Amino acid sequence: MWIRALQAVLERGIREGRLHVRFPDGSAANYGAGTGPEAQVVITDPALPRRILLNPQMALGEGYMDGGLSFPSDDDLRGFLQIAARSAQGGRLPLPMRLAHGLRVRTKGVMQWNTLRVARRRVQQHYDIPDAFYALFLEDELQYTCAYYRDDAMTLEAAQAAKMAHIAAKLCLRPGLRVLDIGCGWGGLALYLARQHGVHVTGITLSPVQLEAAQARAAVMGLSDRVAFRLQDYRDVPDRFDRVVSVGMMEHVGVPQYQAYFDKIHGVLAEDGVGLIHFIGRHTPPRVLSPWFQKYIFPGGYSPALSEVIPRVERAGLVVADLEVWRGHYERTLRDWQQRFRANEPRVRAMFDDRFIRMWWYYLIAAEVSFTDMGMVLFQMQIARRADAVPRVRDYLHPAPLNHRGQSDPASDPA
């Protein structure tokens, strides 16, 4: 019964792309027609058709993790998720699935309620994995956020260096300024800003593993006198700063806390201060993170629409001085991470079991598809307490072109 019901849903729902499915009873069928992504999928778990019908996003992710859902190749997995995303957005899902999605959208605030205790637990679930694991697919600075590919020939290392240089330019830095890095990760950006621009940086995190790694890196680089790392929530910061930067952290704040978040930034910024908020968002109306991502990857995570962010910025008394939308950069970043993850899979396997590996791979592919097919983008929002805190024209954002190592090329500097 459940196989026939799933077949009916696939027959009705898939209009773009071509999908070949083999079911647990040995039967097979093709769905869709015309141009678009293609994929082959094999379902061996007899319980999976029912679970897909009742909770598709959770069932697909868990089915892949447990091995009851498999694909002949990584391209099949990517193509399958693209077909699923386009079908869901086409409004052709059965009424019960649409109602369940609508309920998740209406109750997302409950899932994102983020007290300090909850926030600490959620951060530690994802980021207290040993940094040796992250080092297998990130670059040396352990930048676990979108890179900035100023040209297509850039390596991941060069693009991450370009991202940090771009952020530094938007912060309008000069030696001696005090900078707060909210959600500092393993400290790569904080150390870069101190090393390259002579500023004093305070980085805060809720992950003890990241804190220890960041402090050790600062000591090795001889920057402990200019960079201080704390195990601290943004709501508890008592100091004032000339600059505030937050990269890849607002996705963990939660919509109910947005006002407190921007109120705090206003409170810690000097009168002529400048802030830069780098976050994943969407160019669609507000939606909700999939339940599978909520459970296994980013508990309480959310990527907002601008309509959910800007009103809170305005109410906090902050000025949006500049807003940049990065399109195409995060999917390229994820492709580079995927390539490195696959190349180092034997070393990952020495750390974790097959289920973890399949979970992480599904996450990396699904995240890419969220940018290519589900309206996700990367926003960089420059904010200030005063409109005249930053230059009126963007010339200051365009330093000398970078070479493929992410370094300035003096020969091409017009100065």
Side-chain angles (χ1 to χ4, degrees), residues 70-243:
S70 62
F71 302 88
S73 72
D74 294 334
D75 286 338
D76 285 294
L77 172 57
R78 182 178 291 106
F80 171 78
L81 292 175
Q82 289 177 319
I83 292 170
R86 296 177 190 185
S87 299
Q89 293 175 74
R92 293 185 292 270
L93 294 177
L95 180 60
M97 290 185 182
R98 298 200 303 271
L99 291 175
H101 176 74
L103 179 63
R104 286 197 296 271
V105 172
R106 288 190 292 273
T107 61
K108 67 183 181 184
V110 176
M111 295 295 296
Q112 295 170 29
W113 194 258
N114 228 9
T115 65
L116 177 56
R117 179 180 298 178
V118 171
R120 183 178 292 115
R121 184 179 70 247
R122 287 171 168 173
V123 166
Q124 291 175 7
Q125 176 178 327
H126 189 80
Y127 294 104
D128 278 2
I129 299 171
D131 56 341
F133 165 70
Y134 287 99
L136 295 178
F137 64 94
L138 304 179
E139 35 55 81
D140 291 343
E141 295 294 333
L142 295 181
Q143 295 287 298
Y144 191 33
T145 54
C146 182
Y148 187 45
Y149 294 86
R150 288 180 58 178
D151 68 65
D152 291 340
M154 275 186 161
T155 63
L156 178 63
E157 284 77 11
Q160 291 290 15
K163 184 263 299 290
M164 291 190 290
H166 198 60
I167 289 171
K170 288 186 175 183
L171 288 172
C172 304
L173 298 175
R174 59 181 183 272
L177 291 182
R178 299 182 66 216
V179 180
L180 173 65
D181 183 358
I182 302 177
C184 62
W186 293 277
L189 177 63
L191 296 169
Y192 171 89
L193 296 179
R195 184 175 66 247
Q196 297 294 328
H197 295 276
V199 294
H200 297 271
V201 187
T202 298
I204 61 173
T205 178
L206 291 178
S207 166
V209 170
Q210 288 186 333
L211 175 70
E212 182 179 354
Q215 290 174 332
R217 296 181 69 203
V220 168
M221 298 171 69
L223 291 172
S224 297
D225 60 330
R226 280 188 280 161
V227 184
F229 294 106
R230 304 175 184 168
L231 191 68
Q232 188 174 49
D233 185 80
Y234 69 91
R235 288 164 284 201
D236 295 331
V237 175
D239 320 62
R240 293 292 292 271
F241 296 88
D242 304 296
R243 302 291 185 263

